[in-house]
Amino acid sequence: MVKSNENSSYKRGQELLDQGMFKEAIEQFDAAVAEQPGSWKALNSKGFALQKLSRYTEAVECFDKALEFNPQSVEVLNNKGVTLSMRGLYKDAIFCFNEAIAIDKTSLEALNGKAIALQHMFSYKEALDVLEQAMKIDNKHTQTLLSVAVTLQKLKQYDRAISFFKKVLSHDKNNIKAWNGVGVTYQLMGDNNSAIKCFTKILNIDSREIQAWISIGFVYQKMLKFNDALKCYKKAQLIIGNRYHHKLYDGLASCLTKLSEFDQAVEVYQQIFQREEGKKKWDAQRSMKFVNKLKRKKASGTLQSIIPADAPAEPKPAAPTTDSI
């Protein structure tokens, strides 16, 4: 986020934001706006904090207010675009990124954001075209290399995807996103052991890296090792405490369902439903109905203790992903 010499509330909010204390940061940004109503930077930072709390609608409202004061801000447009993507509003997100690119054709953040939105729309070739523009600006830009790798991964060009992830690792051997990308690619190739090695490499770099624990948990689920998967999800829970993390909660609920711990699974899905918007909220509601149906079958003695992983009606956990790279 942009630093500033604005009022002390804004500066304190930025410090809290950097520490991941998003609710406390929002209070400071509100105070900054009260002191300086035209502070687009405080509104932008508040929107960013709301985004981190999955309060996407409120975040977009903040970005829109910031743009009223500074409609040429590429940073705000990019933040708004990312938030719209998180809500699943990919066409609206692309509109924002296009506005940012019209202002600054060299904005790698906007080009990468547009490419990621296109990925979510399954427009992978179009995403690659956008990333080619970004590569012409800077062919060593880490985010762009990661985005190219993810797009190739989506196109099932796994060897090429791994080669781009390794380009990042060649100049930053501890890049966690690149190791995660390689691990996810191996998992998609069906090489679960190599995938786990990559995710374990991440934990060797940082044992508190939540996504690595979640990814290992997901691979264990694919291997039908549900108790091992649950241990990984529980480890991630200990690390984040009371903070919400969608992929963790989704994987945990799915694993609990596999273990026939239906009441606990429903409780986790309820938390997802309460915190999310759009498709994720709808998916949580659908999953709760499914788990309650299983619970009734268990009560009537017509349910096996462990549901086969390939059961077509089973709600699946969010796969390890590099979409957010």
Side-chain angles (χ1 to χ4, degrees):
M1 303 301 296
V2 171
K3 300 296 181 181
S4 171
N5 291 321
E6 292 184 7
N7 60 51
S8 58
S9 295
Y10 175 83
K11 289 191 287 185
R12 178 56 181 155
Q14 286 296 121
E15 292 170 359
L16 292 166
L17 193 62
D18 292 339
Q19 296 170 29
M21 301 175 67
F22 304 121
K23 291 182 180 179
E24 294 82 356
I26 288 169
E27 293 177 0
Q28 293 298 318
F29 295 134
D30 281 337
V33 173
E35 295 170 21
Q36 297 181 11
S39 177
W40 67 270
K41 290 184 179 180
L43 288 165
N44 178 54
S45 294
K46 178 183 176 181
F48 186 82
L50 287 165
Q51 177 208 96
K52 291 295 184 180
L53 292 170
S54 299
R55 292 162 61 179
Y56 304 129
T57 300
E58 295 172 78
V60 171
E61 290 173 355
C62 282
F63 296 135
D64 283 337
K65 289 179 182 177
L67 289 169
E68 289 177 10
F69 295 108
N70 187 1
Q72 297 295 303
S73 173
V74 172
E75 181 187 5
V76 179
L77 286 167
N78 284 336
N79 283 338
K80 180 181 176 182
V82 169
T83 307
L84 289 168
S85 281
M86 289 178 170
R87 287 189 61 192
L89 300 173
Y90 304 120
K91 290 184 179 179
D92 292 337
I94 289 171
F95 182 83
C96 280
F97 292 129
N98 282 338
E99 282 193 297
I101 293 167
I103 297 168
D104 180 3
K105 291 181 174 58
T106 65
S107 175
L108 294 172
E109 292 78 8
L111 289 167
N112 277 279
K114 180 179 179 179
I116 291 171
L118 286 166
Q119 288 173 15
H120 284 291
M121 296 173 68
F122 309 105
S123 300
Y124 303 126
K125 292 182 179 179
E126 292 88 338
L128 276 181
D129 289 341
V130 174
L131 291 169
E132 283 182 10
Q133 297 177 46
M135 290 286 285
K136 289 177 182 177
I137 297 168
D138 184 353
N139 62 8
K140 295 182 180 179
H141 184 248
T142 297
Q143 180 61 58
T144 302
L145 291 171
L146 291 170
S147 294
V148 171
V150 170
T151 309
L152 291 169
Q153 184 193 84
K154 298 296 184 183
L155 288 167
K156 299 183 179 181
Q157 297 182 30
Y158 298 132
D159 289 336
R160 287 188 67 199
I162 288 174
S163 72
F164 272 87
F165 285 126
K166 287 186 175 180
K167 284 183 181 180
V168 176
L169 292 170
S170 67
H171 59 80
D172 181 6
K173 64 180 181 180
N174 290 330
N175 189 291
I176 287 174
K177 289 183 177 180
W179 279 114
N180 181 67
V182 176
V184 170
T185 307
Y186 278 131
Q187 189 270 319
L188 291 171
M189 295 169 71
D191 190 347
N192 291 324
N193 290 327
S194 292
I196 289 176
K197 286 180 182 178
C198 290
F199 299 136
T200 301
K201 172 66 177 179
I202 295 173
L203 294 176
N204 289 336
I205 297 168
D206 182 358
S207 62
R208 295 180 62 82
E209 180 58 40
I210 296 167
Q211 184 58 57
W213 286 109
I214 297 170
S215 295
I216 294 173
F218 177 83
V219 176
Y220 277 142
Q221 280 191 252
K222 296 290 286 186
M223 297 169 72
L224 308 185
K225 297 182 178 181
F226 303 122
N227 284 309
D228 288 334
L230 186 62
K231 290 178 183 177
C232 291
Y233 294 138
K234 292 290 187 182
K235 177 66 177 180
Q237 270 193 310
L238 286 174
I239 294 171
I240 69 170
N242 294 325
R243 289 187 291 119
Y244 173 73
H245 190 294
H246 175 261
K247 289 178 183 176
L248 169 58
Y249 278 47
D250 193 53
L252 178 61
S254 175
C255 189
L256 289 167
T257 300
K258 295 284 190 180
L259 292 170
S260 299
E261 298 290 346
F262 301 131
D263 289 335
Q264 292 182 53
V266 169
E267 183 179 338
V268 177
Y269 278 128
Q270 284 175 338
Q271 292 182 61
I272 297 174
F273 180 80
Q274 292 168 1
R275 293 171 181 262
E276 289 293 347
E277 301 178 8
K279 185 178 183 299
K280 291 177 182 177
K281 190 180 188 75
W282 182 86
D283 284 344
Q285 184 179 45
R286 182 172 63 104
S287 296
M288 279 190 283
K289 291 180 180 178
F290 179 79
V291 175
N292 280 321
K293 181 178 179 181
L294 296 179
K295 182 180 176 181
R296 290 193 294 271
K297 285 187 176 182
K298 181 180 180 181
S300 65
T302 60
L303 181 70
Q304 296 180 354
S305 59
I306 296 181
I307 304 166
D310 58 355
E314 169 72 17
K316 297 179 181 179
T321 179
T322 47
D323 286 354
S324 60
I325 279 177

